[in-house]
Structure formats: structure tokens, C-alpha cells
């Protein structure tokens, strides 16, 4: 890639800048891995340009120049032109949901394979941050569920440490019976709310 070009690829959640002694700046709005498209406003002393459509691109030649009119480029153009930039883009975060037996910190049988897949993902991608969030259903007291959801999250963190994952990259939180996956009235037993959500980055 021309070293005198700065390329900014903007996704719904991600900004990536490759810089140098740039005489030209390119800003491209690309979808995130789920196909969502955000917006980006490119502002210089000379004016501004709004990017709001997938694969919209504008160019800035100097701080005082007006950003160029938006052109829509193809995914193939992005892949071919900005291969070097895309090669260093971090992998999207992965989310895993592990379910538990009622009132326990014991995984349901189906979630054991999810745990195995999660460990494989952590090792494959060389994870740098793992958030572990415990939840419960709406049965029982608030105090009981606060403790149970924390214990579930803590159990998963201990299981990960047993697999060689460093505690330094893990963050453990709990929500009790708040933030339900399946909204229910208080006192309702819902298996899908008895869970730990793990986000691997």
C-alpha cells in the first residue's frame, strides 16, 4: 500500500487507522460482522462529509480541503485495495452462553460442549480479555439470586483457570435476576435465564 495514504476503515463498532506521513486520507464505512452499519462524519477546516451507507468512501487531501463527495465502493474493491489493513483487524468478539441447573452452579449437560468450544476459541484467538457475567431466573429472593449468579460466574472463571486461562484477562460480574434473557414476572422459573454469558475478545 502507498505509504503516503492514510486509510480509515470504520465499522459499526470498530475504528482502524494506518498512518504515516500522509498526504491523502481515505475514510470508508464498512458493515460490522453482523451486517450493521453506523455513521461517520468526516470534518476538516474546509467542510464535512457524512458517511451513512455501507461501503461509502470519502477522501481528504489536506486539513483545509473539503472531503470529497461520497462514492460507494464494492466489497471486492475494499478487499483488494486495503488487504494490508484488513489483515491486522482484530477478530470480532465471540459470545458464549452457558446454562445451569436450577438453584445450582452445575452446568446442564448441553452446556459442557459449549464450554469446550469456548476454551478452544480462547486458545485459538489468543484472547486478551474475557468478560464473565452471571445471571439467575426470577425464583427466590434478590439476595439469594445475587449470590447464586456471582457463584455461577465465579465457577466458570475457575473452570477456565483450570484450562490454563490467566485470571488477569478475566472480569467477573453478576446481575442476579436482573437483565433477564427471557423477561418473566418475579417468581417464574425460566431455564434460559439461569446462565453465564461469556464474551471473548
Amino acid at each position: 500500500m502507498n505509504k503516503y495514504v492514510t486509510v480509515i476503515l470504520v465499522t459499526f463498532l470498530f475504528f482502524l487507522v494506518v498512518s504515516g506521513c500522509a498526504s491523502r486520507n481515505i475514510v470508508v464505512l464498512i458493515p460490522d460482522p453482523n451486517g450493521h452499519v453506523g455513521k461517520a462524519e468526516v470534518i476538516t477546516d474546509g467542510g464535512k462529509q457524512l458517511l451513512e451507507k455501507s461501503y461509502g468512501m470519502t477522501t481528504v487531501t489536506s486539513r483545509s480541503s473539503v472531503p470529497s463527495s461520497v462514492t460507494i465502493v464494492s466489497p471486492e474493491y475494499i478487499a483488494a485495495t486495503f488487504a494490508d489493513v484488513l489483515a491486522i483487524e482484530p477478530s470480532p468478539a465471540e459470545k458464549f452462553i452457558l446454562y445451569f441447573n436450577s438453584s445450582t452452579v452445575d452446568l446442564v449437560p448441553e452446556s459442557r460442549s459449549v464450554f469446550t468450544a469456548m476454551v478452544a476459541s480462547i486458545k485459538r484467538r489468543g484472547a486478551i480479555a474475557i468478560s464473565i457475567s452471571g445471571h439467575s431466573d426470577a425464583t427466590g429472593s434478590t439476595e439469594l439470586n445475587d449470590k447464586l449468579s456471582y457463584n455461577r460466574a465465579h465457577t466458570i472463571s475457575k473452570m477456565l483457570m483450570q484450562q490454563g486461562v490467566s485470571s488477569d484477562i478475566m472480569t467477573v460480574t453478576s446481575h442476579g435476576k436482573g437483565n433477564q434473557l427471557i423477561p418473566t414476572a418475579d417468581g417464574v422459573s425460566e431455564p434460559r435465564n439461569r446462565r453465564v454469558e461469556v464474551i471473548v475478545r
Side-chain angles (χ1 to χ4, degrees):
M1 184 180 296
N2 188 330
K3 67 180 180 179
Y4 298 105
V5 176
T6 296
V7 178
I8 306 175
L9 301 181
V10 187
T11 71
F12 187 67
L13 295 174
F14 177 70
F15 290 80
L16 176 60
V17 180
V18 175
S19 61
C21 297
S23 60
R24 188 162 61 113
N25 302 286
I26 300 171
V27 183
V28 184
L29 187 67
I30 61 175
D32 74 6
N34 296 318
H36 300 125
V37 179
K39 293 182 180 182
E41 189 169 41
V42 180
I43 302 173
T44 68
D45 292 343
K48 61 185 177 180
Q49 189 63 259
L50 177 65
L51 298 174
E52 54 186 343
K53 292 184 179 180
S54 183
Y55 298 106
M57 182 175 76
T58 185
T59 301
V60 178
T61 55
S62 72
R63 182 170 181 169
S64 60
S65 67
V66 179
S68 69
S69 298
V70 176
T71 57
I72 304 299
V73 296
S74 69
E76 292 76 18
Y77 172 85
I78 296 293
T81 308
F82 306 119
D84 293 345
V85 174
L86 294 169
I88 60 173
E89 182 180 5
S91 301
E94 291 183 79
K95 182 177 181 178
F96 299 87
I97 301 180
L98 306 157
Y99 296 99
F100 293 78
N101 291 315
S102 181
S103 301
T104 74
V105 294
D106 301 324
L107 287 173
V108 300
E110 297 81 3
S111 286
R112 293 173 189 153
S113 61
V114 175
F115 179 81
T116 301
M118 181 176 67
V119 172
S121 170
I122 290 168
K123 294 183 177 180
R124 180 184 69 251
R125 65 188 291 148
I128 59 171
I130 302 169
S131 62
I132 304 168
S133 179
H135 302 264
S136 69
D137 64 20
T139 60
S141 68
T142 297
E143 294 76 18
L144 175 67
N145 283 300
D146 286 346
K147 182 177 180 180
L148 180 59
S149 64
Y150 174 79
N151 287 342
R152 285 172 173 162
H154 189 59
T155 294
I156 296 303
S157 71
K158 287 194 297 184
M159 291 172 64
L160 288 174
M161 284 188 280
Q162 290 169 359
Q163 296 295 318
V165 179
S166 172
S167 61
D168 293 340
I169 65 170
M170 289 189 270
T171 302
V172 176
T173 60
S174 60
H175 299 263
K177 53 186 176 181
N179 292 335
Q180 296 178 339
L181 186 64
I182 307 299
T184 71
D186 197 41
V188 174
S189 175
E190 171 50 65
R192 289 168 291 180
N193 288 333
R194 301 192 293 264
R195 72 198 192 280
V196 164
E197 297 187 3
V198 181
I199 298 177
V200 179
R201 296 179 176 85

